[in-house]
Amino acid sequence: EGAPAALRETQSPCADNSMADDDDEVVDNTAKANRADMNSLGGGGDDDGGVDAEAAKKRALEMATDDLKQQKAAEAARLKELMAVKISQEDVATIVSEIEVEKKAAEMRLREHGGDVVAALKSYVL
């Protein structure tokens, strides 16, 4: 109470509902972003502007499916590349015994480090 007025205002951000106004602004911005996303897909948000909502949904689904296919293809290519790396079973056994991980995890870590057992071991502790 004895603090200057400027200090009292900063001490009580909720007293004037400024926090509630911030929440409203976030919701407002989210709604605007959602409408913008729909517009980029060919939909107009609340105002469809004559755009076919089913076509927009179909396009969004196609885009999501394409992204998923690309991710899976990249993952398969990386796995194929890793499987081509030659590793020593002795190195795998060393990692398993020292780090106490499953054999498959040790093999993968060793492959990720080009078969270098020292680099693979360091990756567990660094």
Side-chain angles (χ1 to χ4, degrees):
E1 290 183 7
L7 186 56
R8 281 194 303 260
E9 288 176 15
T10 59
Q11 291 174 337
S12 177
C14 293
D16 63 354
N17 278 340
S18 64
M19 294 283 257
D21 291 342
D22 289 345
D23 291 342
D24 291 343
E25 186 176 328
V26 169
V27 170
D28 233 18
N29 288 339
T30 302
K32 286 178 186 175
N34 289 341
R35 282 194 293 275
D37 288 344
M38 283 300 292
N39 286 334
S40 71
L41 293 173
D46 295 334
D47 174 16
D48 70 4
V51 176
D52 183 8
E54 286 301 314
K57 287 180 187 177
K58 182 178 178 183
R59 178 66 185 131
L61 184 59
E62 289 171 354
M63 289 172 61
T65 302
D66 289 345
D67 286 348
L68 186 59
K69 285 180 184 178
Q70 288 175 356
Q71 288 173 356
K72 284 188 177 189
E75 187 177 315
R78 174 157 166 70
L79 186 59
K80 183 177 180 179
E81 181 181 304
L82 288 174
M83 295 311 287
V85 174
K86 301 290 183 203
I87 58 172
S88 163
Q89 290 304 309
E90 292 170 354
D91 291 344
V92 172
T94 299
I95 294 172
V96 168
S97 68
E98 293 297 321
I99 307 298
E100 298 180 1
V101 295
E102 292 185 18
K103 183 177 177 183
K104 285 190 178 260
E107 288 175 349
M108 188 58 69
R109 185 67 63 104
L110 193 55
R111 289 179 194 283
E112 289 171 345
H113 288 88
D116 183 349
V117 69
V118 173
L121 285 166
K122 283 182 178 180
S123 74
Y124 280 106
V125 293
L126 297 179

